[in-house]
Amino acid sequence: MLDWLVKLISDLLGPYKYPPLSTISVLAISLGVGLTTVLANHLLLDIKKLRSYSQEINEWRREMRKALMSGDRKLMVKLKKKEPYIRKIEAEVMAERMKPSLIFMLPLWIFFIIFAGAFTTEIGYVAQLPFTLPFAGDKANFVTWYIICSLLTLPLLQKAFKLSF
């Protein structure tokens, strides 16, 4: 069904679908998708509220750890009373952070199917790794290399856009 689109993108990529250029093109794609999702998060999420809730949750956890370590029963009882509220705002933070994921899930699946097909070549990989991965060996296909690139770039983008909580 999407074969014509896969072929079109594959043709447009030309030499950029073969190593070593494919490593750079997949990195660029990863950065583009990461930037899109970070911008969507920035636009769709109430960052101030999430940051405030996250600080409150972290402070409660710190206090709870301190109470447990010191054995301070009085403080533990006080913190236990606040636990339902903390659970409620944790659930709210989780639900809020899921919104962009739900919106982008289907488009990203289609995107991956198309680009995985476009980067499928007779060589069979897009990156020669300097190390061996248990699940991929020393050669990475589009999906493996994309995941590696995303794991390295997304935290940097989130930090740059102040979306780390």
Side-chain angles (χ1 to χ4, degrees), residues 7-18:
K7 172 109 174 73
L8 176 68
I9 292 172
S10 182
D11 291 344
L12 288 172
L13 286 167
Y16 290 93
K17 69 179 177 182
Y18 297 101

Side-chain angles (χ1 to χ4, degrees), residues 64-124:
M64 185 57 93
R65 253 191 315 275
K66 191 170 107 179
L68 287 170
M69 297 295 257
S70 67
D72 186 342
R73 295 241 184 236
K74 217 178 212 182
L75 181 58
M76 241 186 287
V77 168
K78 178 183 165 191
L79 292 169
K80 280 286 188 187
K81 286 179 183 173
K82 195 175 180 181
E83 189 172 13
Y85 167 73
I86 294 296
R87 297 287 174 237
K88 179 181 159 263
I89 65 172
E90 280 178 330
E92 197 172 323
V93 167
M94 177 93 68
E96 188 75 18
R97 295 207 53 157
M98 288 293 291
K99 280 182 197 174
S101 300
L102 293 173
I103 293 168
F104 281 101
M105 191 176 300
L106 183 60
L108 281 176
W109 273 104
I110 294 168
F111 170 85
F112 284 120
I113 291 167
I114 292 168
F115 274 90
F119 277 95
T120 299
T121 63
E122 60 280 356
I123 296 172

Side-chain angles (χ1 to χ4, degrees), residues 18-41:
Y18 297 101
L21 297 175
S22 58
T23 58
I24 296 164
S25 49
V26 175
L27 176 61
I29 291 167
S30 169
L31 280 169
V33 171
L35 194 56
T36 303
T37 57
V38 164
L39 287 173
N41 283 336

